[in-house]
Every structure is written in structure tokens, then in C-alpha cells.
């Protein structure tokens, strides 16, 4: 019963038209059109499967884009002589710090929105602290006058930290101060600086590891440096000979070779000046920095497309099942049509051939059962022309020969 249920559940996949039916004049044109549609469907299925693989590959590689990080620097001052006037010294509280001349530096950053971006494609912007690995602020002050530290560093810790939109640094003092901000960016994929020896050949200064290897491979292909006999070997030209350290290397050694010429990228360095004796500017100073990061907007659109394609594939599968059922029904109708046409042309001969066919089928069924043919009508078989066929004499001779041989052995 389980086998029968499994057979019933088996899906019908054949969608072809019977050849005999396709060759009939009244169905020739429609059959040709249907066959053309099947060929077009095969090509379309192949294209869709290829695009599906490309989309899955794009999702696995995490699509990237270049965004603009706008950095804002501003400062405020408090307790300065031009703010407190003559009563400044009297209002100083050394315990609470109130009235002591001081200044505060504020560092903020945000990603600029993409132009012409649809509202539904917008995602919450990343915080400034998630876009940098480390930030160092160096203050150009006399350490004997200001012992509270002239280097401020914010490193991203190994533990999860609360994302921040900016940082504020507060220091006491009333002297003009020069400072330098050193920012190490967090980029996706990881960027590397290429040593000049290799960078001048490839024409790149900073790129991801995969991008540098790809540029190296493009240089090899353009200049025909791949050995024609052994395709695994890369020959060196005059420029690559110092890089390879010889006349050539094997293909699998390229990544290791490229790694030797990779260095950490240069940080972003910004200079800023604070003069507490002057009124701070009303507007902050701004710098634009390009950052390579994961394109979440494109990834989300791809995911939506993939999800909609899954729904479409479900609908297409249902339509394919319906077409297969209709094709099977067409096959069955064609078989019935041939049956009735044969009967209409010669009823007597058709009935005799049909009864003979049914008799052979019945004999095969009963002969394979437990009775081994004992229930077949013996009288009809004896009177039948079955035993007058050419092979019967030979079969009887072989049987009698085997019987006599076995009797002689006894």
C-alpha cells in the first residue's frame, strides 16, 4: 500500500505532445507553437537559474559601496577672562572646578544620505563610533603647565560598546592650543596600503586584499605572462622580476606574494586650533571622508527580490504541474482516439488482435503467480496455433535432449 501511495504522489513532469498527434495536419501548427514555447521555457529557466546563482554569490560576497562620512569639529570655552571680567579670580571654586578657565572639544560625525534614495530603501544610519577603529587626539601644550595628559585615545574595545554619535574632550587652560586628530577608519572590506614597489606597477595605492590580487591577475593576463605550456606558472617581466625574486612563480603563490607588500592604511589626520581668548565660531568646521562599507540598501533590495522570486517560483511550479497534468490527459485522449479509430476501421480484426493481446497479458500475469499457469485454459491452449510456431520444434528437441542426458547419468 505504501508503494501505491508513493506512486500516486509521484509528480508528472512530462509536458511533451505525442509525436503521432503532432504530425497530424489539423494539430501541426498548434503543436509547433507549443514546442517553441517549451524551448523558450528551457532557455528562460536556464537564464533564471544562472541569475539566481549570481544573486546568491552577490549576497555571499556582501555588496559594498563608498559613502561619505562628514566629520564636525567644534569647541566651547568657559571661565575665560573675557567671560568673567574682573570678578573672575574671586568666583573660582577649586573643589568643583567652577570658574576655572577651560575649553571643550566636540568631535561628531554622520553619514550623508544618498541622493535620490527611495524612502522604503532607507535604513537607520550607523553611529559615528561604529565607523572608526581608533581615534587619537594629540594636544600641543606644555606638559609642565598642563599635567592632565596631552594625548587622548579612544580605542574600540573587544566587548560590545554603546554606539556614539560623537566624543567630547574637556581640558582646563586659557592658552591657544594646536591639536591633531588621528582617525583609523573601519572599512568593509578591510583596506590595505600597497607598497610602492608593487603599487607603481599595478597603479593602485590602497585597496582590499581581494582587489589587489585581482589587479595583479589582470596585469598578468593583459601582458600575457601566463606560461603557455604550464598554465599554473606565471612568468616575470622586467617590472615583476624584482617582485618575484626570479623568473617566475606558481599561480598558487600569488596571494602569499601579494601579502608581503600590504601595509596598514594611512589614518586620516585633521589639524584643529583652539584659541580660548576668542569667541568660538558659531558653526562647526566640517571635513568629508570617503568610507567603504557594506551596501545594506542594495542587500535589502536583493533580499526583497529573492523573496518575491520564491513566491513567483511557487506559482510557476503550480502552473508546471497543471501543464503536466494536461499533457498527460492529452496522451490518454490520444491513446483512446487511436483505440476507437482502429476499431472503426476494422472491427473484426481489431477484436481478434485485442483478445489475443489480452490473452497474452493474462497468461503472463497468471504464469508469474503461485499457480504457474495451471489455471490457464488447457483445452484452448491444446487447440491453439501457439504450438505450431517455428521455435516449438527446437524447444522440444532441446528439452528431450536434456531429459535423455539426465537419464543416462542416472
Amino acid at each position: 500500500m505504501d508503494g501505491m501511495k508513493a506512486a500516486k504522489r509521484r509528480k508528472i513532469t512530462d509536458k511533451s505532445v505525442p509525436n503521432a498527434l503532432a504530425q497530424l495536419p489539423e494539430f501541426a501548427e498548434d503543436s509547433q507553437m507549443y514546442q517553441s514555447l517549451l524551448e523558450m521555457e528551457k532557455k528562460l529557466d536556464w537564464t533564471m537559474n544562472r541569475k539566481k546563482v549570481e544573486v546568491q554569490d552577490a549576497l555571499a560576497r556582501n555588496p559594498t559601496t563608498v559613502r561619505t562620512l562628514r566629520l564636525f569639529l567644534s569647541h566651547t570655552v568657559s571661565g575665560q577672562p573675557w567671560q568673567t571680567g574682573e570678578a573672575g579670580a574671586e568666583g573660582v571654586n577649586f573643589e568643583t572646578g567652577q570658574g576655572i578657565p577651560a575649553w571643550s572639544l566636540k568631535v561628531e560625525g554622520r553619514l550623508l544620505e544618498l541622493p535620490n534614495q527611495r524612502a522604503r530603501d532607507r535604513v537607520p544610519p550607523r553611529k559615528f563610533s561604529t565607523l572608526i577603529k581608533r581615534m587619537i587626539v594629540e594636544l600641543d601644550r606644555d606638559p609642565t603647565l598642563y599635567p592632565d595628559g596631552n594625548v587622548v585615545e579612544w580605542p574600540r574595545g573587544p566587548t560590545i560598546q554603546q554606539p556614539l554619535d560623537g566624543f567630547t574632550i574637556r581640558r582646563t587652560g586659557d592658552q591657544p592650543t594646536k591639536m591633531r586628530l588621528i582617525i583609523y577608519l573601519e572599512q568593509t572590506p578591510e583596506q590595505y596600503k600597497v607598497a610602492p614597489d608593487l603599487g607603481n606597477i599595478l597603479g593602485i595605492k590602497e585597496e582590499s586584499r581581494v582587489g589587489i590580487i585581482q589587479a595583479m591577475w589582470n596585469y598578468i593576463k593583459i601582458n600575457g605572462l601566463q606560461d603557455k605550456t604550464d598554465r599554473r606558472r606565471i612568468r616575470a617581466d622586467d617590472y615583476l622580476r624584482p617582485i618575484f625574486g626570479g623568473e617566475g612563480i606558481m599561480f598558487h603563490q600569488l596571494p602569499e606574494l601579494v601579502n608581503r607588500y600590504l601595509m596598514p592604511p594611512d589614518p586620516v589626520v585633521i589639524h584643529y586650533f583652539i584659541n580660548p581668548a576668542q569667541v568660538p565660531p558659531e558653526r562647526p568646521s566640517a571635513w568629508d571622508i570617503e568610507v567603504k562599507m557594506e551596501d545594506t540598501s542594495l542587500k535589502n533590495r536583493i533580499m526583497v527580490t529573492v523573496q518575491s522570486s520564491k513566491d513567483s517560483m511557487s506559482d510557476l511550479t503550480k502552473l508546471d504541474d497543471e501543464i503536466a497534468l494536461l499533457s498527460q490527459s492529452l496522451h490518454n485522449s490520444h491513446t483512446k482516439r487511436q483505440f476507437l479509430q482502429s476499431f472503426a476501421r476494422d472491427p473484426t480484426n481489431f477484436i481478434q488482435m485485442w483478445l489475443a493481446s489480452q490473452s497474452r497479458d493474462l497468461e503472463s500475469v497468471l504464469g508469474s503467480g503461485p499457480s504457474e499457469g495451471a489455471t490457464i485454459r488447457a483445452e484452448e491452449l491444446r487447440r491453439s496455433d501457439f504450438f505450431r510456431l517455428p521455435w516449438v520444434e527446437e524447444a522440444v528437441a532441446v528439452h528431450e535432449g536434456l531429459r535423455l542426458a539426465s537419464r543416462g547419468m542416472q
Side-chain angles (χ1 to χ4, degrees):
M1 293 295 293
D2 294 339
M4 295 178 63
K5 290 181 179 179
K8 291 180 179 180
R9 288 195 300 265
R10 188 179 298 121
K11 293 179 63 175
I12 302 172
T13 57
D14 186 17
K15 296 186 289 184
S16 61
V17 177
N19 293 329
L21 187 63
Q23 294 174 359
L24 293 176
E26 59 267 29
F27 300 115
E29 184 178 355
D30 295 337
S31 300
Q32 184 63 33
M33 293 174 59
Y34 178 74
Q35 200 65 29
S36 300
L37 288 175
L38 288 180
E39 294 296 331
M40 184 182 298
E41 185 185 25
K42 289 180 181 178
K43 295 179 181 179
L44 186 59
D45 287 342
W46 183 84
T47 303
M48 291 176 61
N49 290 331
R50 188 188 65 180
K51 291 298 182 182
K52 187 185 300 183
V53 172
E54 292 177 358
V55 169
Q56 292 174 352
D57 182 62
L59 289 175
R61 288 187 289 107
N62 287 334
T64 59
T65 184
V66 178
R67 297 289 299 274
T68 300
L69 170 64
R70 180 156 294 176
L71 188 68
F72 299 94
L73 296 181
S74 61
H75 70 274
T76 58
V77 296
S78 61
Q80 301 297 327
W82 60 271
Q83 292 177 312
T84 59
E86 298 179 355
E90 299 177 358
V92 174
N93 187 336
F94 292 98
E95 294 182 358
T96 61
Q98 185 177 1
I100 298 177
W103 52 262
S104 298
L105 172 68
K106 193 169 186 179
V107 183
E108 298 176 298
R110 72 167 184 266
L111 286 174
L112 298 184
E113 293 185 359
L114 295 174
N116 302 325
Q117 187 179 24
R118 297 179 300 182
R120 63 180 181 180
D121 293 334
R122 293 176 182 173
V123 295
R126 290 173 56 180
K127 300 288 186 179
F128 173 60
S129 62
T130 65
L131 299 172
I132 61 176
K133 295 180 180 177
R134 187 160 56 110
M135 185 178 69
I136 302 173
V137 180
E138 298 177 350
L139 307 179
D140 186 11
R141 302 196 304 175
D142 187 355
T144 58
L145 296 177
Y146 304 101
D148 51 352
N150 292 329
V151 177
V152 181
E153 182 176 0
W154 179 87
R156 178 184 292 179
T159 58
I160 300 177
Q161 299 176 344
Q162 182 69 25
L164 303 173
D165 285 322
F167 308 91
T168 301
I169 302 172
R170 178 179 173 82
R171 288 292 185 268
T172 58
D174 56 2
Q175 298 297 319
T177 304
K178 295 180 181 180
M179 57 190 64
R180 186 174 70 154
L181 280 76
I182 305 173
I183 301 174
Y184 296 87
L185 298 175
E186 175 73 33
Q187 303 198 74
T188 304
E190 188 73 23
Q191 301 294 298
Y192 295 91
K193 181 181 177 182
V194 186
D197 295 341
L198 181 61
N200 293 334
I201 298 174
L202 303 180
I204 54 177
K205 295 182 179 179
E206 188 174 305
E207 186 56 80
S208 65
R209 179 184 281 106
V210 175
I212 298 169
I213 295 175
Q214 184 64 41
M216 185 75 169
W217 176 239
N218 290 338
Y219 179 86
I220 292 170
K221 289 194 298 183
I222 291 173
N223 293 277
L225 301 179
Q226 192 174 11
D227 194 282
K228 296 182 180 180
T229 304
D230 186 0
R231 307 298 290 178
R232 298 172 301 172
R233 183 170 180 78
I234 309 299
R235 295 181 289 104
D237 59 4
D238 295 338
Y239 297 103
L240 289 180
R241 194 169 287 109
I243 303 296
F244 288 176
E247 294 300 325
I249 61 172
M250 301 304 291
F251 179 78
H252 68 271
Q253 295 176 318
L254 274 181
E256 180 182 355
L257 177 69
V258 169
N259 287 339
R260 300 175 190 171
Y261 293 88
L262 301 185
M263 300 179 292
D266 294 332
V268 177
V269 180
I270 298 176
H271 297 273
Y272 193 72
F273 179 73
I274 293 179
N275 186 1
Q278 297 179 355
V279 179
E282 296 182 359
R283 296 182 178 181
S285 302
W287 288 263
D288 286 345
I289 305 170
E290 289 187 348
V291 181
K292 291 185 178 180
M293 56 188 300
E294 182 181 2
D295 193 347
T296 54
S297 177
L298 176 59
K299 190 172 183 178
N300 291 339
R301 291 202 301 271
I302 293 177
M303 293 297 295
V304 171
T305 304
V306 170
Q307 185 61 37
S308 61
S309 67
K310 289 181 179 179
D311 299 337
S312 300
M313 287 303 297
S314 177
D315 296 338
L316 290 176
T317 302
K318 293 180 181 179
L319 292 176
D320 283 341
D321 294 341
E322 292 180 7
I323 294 175
L325 289 174
L326 292 174
S327 178
Q328 184 64 30
S329 176
L330 186 61
H331 277 271
N332 297 336
S333 300
H334 176 63
T335 303
K336 293 178 182 179
R337 183 172 183 268
Q338 285 183 322
F339 181 89
L340 295 175
Q341 282 182 340
S342 300
F343 178 76
R345 284 194 295 267
D346 190 355
T348 303
N349 188 34
F350 176 80
I351 292 296
Q352 291 178 353
M353 293 179 60
W354 183 70
L355 289 176
S357 174
Q358 294 295 313
S359 177
R360 288 194 299 269
D361 293 342
L362 180 61
E363 180 181 352
S364 300
V365 172
L366 296 178
S368 61
S371 60
E372 297 183 353
T375 58
I376 301 178
R377 293 165 301 198
E379 186 64 22
E380 292 183 5
L381 286 177
R382 280 197 296 269
R383 297 179 181 178
S384 174
D385 295 334
F386 178 79
F387 295 103
R388 295 189 179 91
L389 296 176
W391 59 269
V392 174
E393 294 182 2
E394 183 180 357
V396 172
V398 172
H399 176 73
E400 288 297 314
L402 293 175
R403 186 173 64 82
L404 294 175
S406 61
R407 181 180 298 177
M409 292 178 63
Q410 295 176 358

